[in-house]
Amino acid sequence: MICRVCDSTNLEPVIDLGDQPWCNHFLTKEECGKEPFYPLRVVYCTDCSTAQLDYTVKKEIMFGNHTYLSGVTRSLSDHFRRIAVEVTERFFPETADRRVLDIGSNDGTQLTHFQELGWTVQGVESSVRTAEIAVQKGVPTLNVFFNGETASTLRVKFDAINAAGVFFHLEELHSVTEGIRESLSQDGVFVVQFLYMKRIMENCAFDQIYHEHLLYYNLRTLSRLLERHGLEIFDAYLAPIHGGSMIAFVQHGDGKRPRSERLEKLYAEEDSSGVNGIDAYHQFAQRIREMKEKNIADLLQRRAAGKRIFGFGAPVKGNTLLNYFGLGPEVIECLVEKNTLRHGLYSPGMHIPVVIEDELPETPDTYYVLAWNFKEEILENNKALLDRGVEFYFPVDPDATPR
Ligand SMILES: [Zn+2]
């Protein structure tokens, strides 16, 4: 295998989460036990410092039919609205006929916020069902994988291009990045929203590692990839969404905007903390093993005392955690979820049944919160349960480090 970013063969194994099923496909009863397992291992490139998976599940398997909907959670939709307002007011307040392209546009949530601000929008989404939902909402959406070829068929330049999360997914990394450069107008702004590896390490949020996320970036490493394609980051800040997402603003390499002070500060923090060095990854792996021991001990102690434990949320990342910890229905009876597309399904690997929130007949003693990144929203919506003494156990605490 060669590095996905710089083609080097100097890749060192750093984190091994064992063989895991593809985490985004929740199973029907008939499918349980038949799901394939794939290695889930992070390797580190000693040349360009980018952390990445060494095994690729084919993108057609991964993204042809996923059931993740970004519009389901309020805080995510609010976040997307703020991004649309920020891009409009900061970069294009006077521009007539503004055009925006969203890569991996999901159910169109991000683009509806741009539409409200008068933009002409175009979505590109690979999942059939998700793309249909977007079209029904009135968001023009191409049901394809975005790459250099898609860029040439679109034939127009965009003032803004957004990509939330997708830079983790890219199998055709260089073709996609070329396509973005080609589709971005001369003064255009490419907004990359990505899980920030520095933050993932600080919070020990190892459940963010799964087969869809082929790459794990810090600003230094993302910047190396973009520069290879004539693009440069000129500003970035950390937003609390998904437990710590970096919002980076990118322009053509000969762009006019100077690098912001806060970007320089973020680069300096990466350098002084050592997060781009291999030792940081070995330490992270050790903390993951310790977390596994502690969580299992805590949950088994509750079960031994006769307590009932339900999972809160059935997020994709929860499956990394459940499979690596080996937590099945004998410990966690069910996963309580809002997304009705997962109704009646079972978690891949551990086969825990998913129950939709409104249909829940009982209350557990403990909720094991797999959707920990929505901590604030969850605690606020469940005040009544908290008052009745129901415990909300967060395996990962997004407040562990200051935002
Ligand atoms: Zn590399």
Side-chain angles (χ1 to χ4, degrees):
M1 186 205 161
I2 58 163
C3 172
R4 297 170 194 276
V5 174
C6 77
D7 304 332
S8 160
T9 52
N10 299 320
L11 298 171
E12 294 284 336
V14 280
I15 298 164
D16 188 347
L17 299 173
D19 284 354
Q20 296 227 7
W22 174 47
C23 57
N24 208 334
H25 182 67
F26 282 73
L27 311 168
T28 61
K29 198 162 186 73
E30 294 69 41
E31 286 171 326
C32 284
K34 293 177 192 147
E35 71 273 33
F37 283 67
Y38 313 96
L40 186 57
R41 275 191 307 255
V42 178
V43 296
Y44 171 90
C45 174
T46 55
D47 286 311
C48 75
S49 312
T50 308
Q52 52 203 290
L53 297 188
D54 69 348
Y55 183 88
T56 308
V57 179
K58 282 198 179 312
K59 68 178 190 302
E60 288 76 12
I61 296 178
M62 290 203 284
F63 308 115
N65 194 23
H66 69 74
T67 49
Y68 169 74
L69 294 179
S70 52
V72 171
T73 57
R74 196 189 62 216
S75 48
L76 194 54
S77 183
D78 287 351
H79 165 76
F80 283 156
R81 184 176 42 74
R82 281 193 297 272
I83 293 287
V85 170
E86 181 180 8
V87 169
T88 310
E89 290 177 355
R90 272 185 73 187
F91 306 117
F92 306 103
E94 310 289 333
T95 314
D97 304 326
R98 293 174 290 224
R99 287 178 179 276
V100 58
L101 170 69
D102 192 11
I103 299 167
S105 51
N106 200 269
D107 59 4
T109 304
Q110 176 74 83
L111 287 178
T112 52
H113 294 304
F114 276 102
Q115 279 177 323
E116 282 163 18
L117 298 165
W119 289 68
T120 302
V121 306
Q122 177 66 56
V124 178
E125 168 56 46
S126 59
S127 164
V128 182
R129 285 172 76 186
T130 316
E132 278 169 9
I133 293 171
V135 171
Q136 280 160 17
K137 280 190 203 168
V139 176
T141 304
L142 279 181
N143 181 216
V144 294
F145 289 100
F146 182 86
N147 55 25
E149 216 176 291
T150 326
S152 13
T153 45
L154 284 170
R155 285 212 194 112
V156 282
K157 301 271 184 193
F158 294 89
D159 304 295
I161 298 179
N162 180 69
V166 294
F167 259 67
F168 282 86
H169 302 168
L170 303 179
E171 196 177 320
E172 301 168 297
L173 186 61
H174 296 291
S175 167
V176 173
T177 316
E178 273 302 301
I180 288 166
R181 189 176 58 91
E182 207 180 296
S183 303
L184 191 66
S185 71
Q186 196 44 48
D187 292 328
V189 175
F190 170 38
V191 186
V192 202
Q193 307 185 41
F194 63 101
L195 294 177
Y196 190 36
M197 194 50 175
K198 179 170 182 283
R199 192 74 189 173
I200 289 176
M201 284 182 167
E202 286 165 351
N203 288 341
C204 203
F206 79 94
D207 54 350
Q208 304 279 20
I209 300 169
Y210 47 86
H211 292 116
E212 285 187 30
H213 292 167
L214 297 173
L215 292 137
Y216 300 87
Y217 296 111
N218 283 320
L219 283 164
R220 283 282 185 218
T221 46
L222 178 65
S223 142
R224 268 180 214 126
L225 165 69
L226 293 170
E227 276 167 20
R228 206 177 141 163
H229 294 279
L231 295 164
E232 68 168 12
I233 304 174
F234 64 90
D235 185 29
Y237 65 88
L238 196 62
I241 209 74
H242 295 311
S245 289
M246 188 58 75
I247 315 296
F249 299 95
V250 176
Q251 63 186 352
H252 284 286
D254 52 358
K256 288 179 282 201
R257 304 173 185 94
R259 268 198 197 181
S260 72
E261 250 172 62
R262 61 183 175 181
L263 174 64
E264 298 290 7
K265 195 165 164 252
L266 286 163
Y267 278 140
E269 280 166 9
E270 282 189 13
D271 297 343
S272 63
S273 64
V275 283
N276 290 312
I278 193 165
D279 289 348
Y281 285 87
H282 289 312
Q283 284 158 19
F284 183 29
Q286 177 57 30
R287 287 172 60 214
I288 296 169
R289 288 189 287 269
E290 288 164 9
M291 181 179 162
K292 176 179 181 174
E293 268 175 44
K294 180 178 187 307
N295 274 242
I296 291 175
D298 285 350
L299 294 178
L300 291 183
Q301 190 189 40
R302 283 161 179 75
R303 292 295 291 137
K307 308 257 189 206
R308 299 180 68 185
I309 306 167
F310 293 179
F312 198 98
V316 169
K317 63 178 179 300
N319 291 320
T320 293
L321 187 145
L322 294 169
N323 281 288
Y324 179 63
F325 287 2
L327 299 171
E330 67 290 347
V331 182
I332 295 173
E333 285 180 51
C334 63
L335 305 177
V336 182
E337 164 74 36
K338 272 187 202 168
N339 179 350
T340 53
L341 291 181
R342 296 203 176 129
H343 173 81
L345 300 179
Y346 295 79
S347 74
M350 298 317 295
H351 307 157
I352 303 176
V354 177
V355 178
I356 303 306
E357 206 174 358
D358 307 337
E359 300 168 357
L360 194 67
E362 293 152 299
T363 309
D365 301 292
T366 298
Y367 269 119
Y368 188 61
V369 186
L370 296 168
W372 53 262
N373 48 306
F374 296 111
K375 183 178 177 183
E376 235 168 88
E377 188 175 333
I378 289 168
L379 293 180
E380 200 186 300
N381 292 345
N382 291 285
K383 277 190 186 127
L385 289 180
L386 286 160
D387 287 345
R388 278 163 51 195
V390 176
E391 179 193 27
F392 282 73
Y393 186 113
F394 289 81
V396 175
D397 184 357
D399 299 328
T401 46
R403 283 175 190 171

